[in-house]
Amino acid sequence: MRPAPQPGRRDLSGALEPLPRLKPGDPLPFACAGCGDCCRHREDLVLSGYDLYRLARWTSLPPRILARAFCRFYLDPDTGLPVLLLKPDPKTRSCPFFEANSCVVHPARPLACALYPLGQAIDPDTGAVEYYLQPPLCGVPAEGRTLEQYLKDAGVADRQGIDARWAVVCTRLADRLLAAGGPDAPEVQMAGRRIAGALYYDYSLREEFYPQFQQNLAALEHLLDRMLPQQ
Ligand code: SF4
Ligand code: SF4
């Protein structure tokens, strides 16, 4: 399974040997100990559009304002795709939502946080989703829990369809940007800003994310046809 080039999302499984995949009924003997180690010294937390939307709803801030306050925006140097990274607190280098040893956005935490210490690999062509454990395993042993139960309890199962679609869309957009000249091409840089609007910013918090995502993508398709050289 080729890892999807979602903006900045890391698939450790592709780094060396693929890590063993888990099946839904496989035991997952893990419970979070609440130590907060996965929130400290974090400079790699990349958000999807759905992550940003959920945080925006939780904080009652429009997505663009929230991103300005808490994220760093850049165009991926390999593809030209827009990336939003949570900016660490300048003093502690921890996640900006880590306060008094706890997460102040816990119900709306990004996918990477809800998954941890699991990793997720999404086939960029089919959207098939696989999970694997990222060593070393933190937390405390919890017997009798399966992967399926863990994903349900962490709220990952409910959003899996949106996350899979996000990965497939990002892969297609990255391929299109590369075919149009890659990150150094001026047309691609201009398109990157419009893609950021469609993927991250142009969402009403009064409406659900997914229908807006689909509408944004349809409009973006027409826009890119005009902005980018035809393949
Ligand atoms: S969003 Fe919450 S869970 Fe995720 S790194 Fe920040 S403080 Fe930790
Ligand atoms: S997921 Fe692991 S590192 Fe993060 S708070 Fe829980 S036990 Fe600590």
Side-chain angles (χ1 to χ4, degrees), residues 36 38-40 42 45 47 55 86 94-99 102-106 108-110 112-114:
C38 56
C39 312
R40 296 189 182 91
R42 289 308 298 265
L45 279 169
L47 301 184
L55 286 166
L86 272 182
S94 296
C95 170
F97 299 122
F98 189 56
E99 293 178 16
S102 67
C103 174
V104 294
V105 296
H106 187 77
R109 65 201 186 286
C113 308

Side-chain angles (χ1 to χ4, degrees), residues 30-39 113 116-117 138-140 150:
F30 163 81
C32 175
C35 66
D37 283 354
C38 56
C39 312
C113 308
Y116 198 86
C138 56
V140 290
Y150 181 85

